[in-house]
Amino acid sequence: AFPKRDNNLDLRTTFEENGKTPPKNLLAEKSTFPALMGLEASKVFLEDTLNQANSELDQVAKLVPFSTKEIKEIIESLRMNG
């Protein structure tokens, strides 16, 4: 999920917000998720991936009980807010 989020941030944020020179990936003509899918579709793809990660984590926790709190916090930190 991180590369998907990073690709979106490259196009949606400023240098002050992410520490990268936007739109660095676009200028380098990299094959990023936003370049291949479009910006909004890549944001939806990221959200779907994070939802799937949460679901898979819940399934594993049913088989092998453990605290999912910290992992879920990491997953949630990758969401695009806004």
Side-chain angles (χ1 to χ4, degrees), residues 11 13 19 22-24 32 34 36 40-41 47 53 68-69 72 75:
L11 296 174
T13 60
K24 190 174 184 179
T32 63
L36 298 170
E40 288 307 310
E47 292 299 314
T68 62
K69 182 180 182 256
K72 285 189 179 256
I75 292 169

Side-chain angles (χ1 to χ4, degrees), residues 13-65:
T13 60
T14 65
F15 176 79
E16 291 77 19
E17 293 170 314
N18 74 12
K20 291 176 35 178
T21 306
K24 190 174 184 179
N25 290 336
L26 182 64
L27 295 174
E29 297 181 2
K30 290 187 176 181
S31 295
T32 63
F33 288 99
L36 298 170
M37 305 172 76
L39 194 54
E40 288 307 310
S42 68
K43 182 178 177 183
V44 170
F45 187 51
L46 169 62
E47 292 299 314
D48 290 346
T49 301
L50 296 173
N51 291 338
Q52 182 179 359
N54 271 324
S55 178
E56 295 292 329
L57 181 61
D58 290 339
Q59 294 300 315
V60 171
K62 288 178 185 176
L63 298 172
V64 183

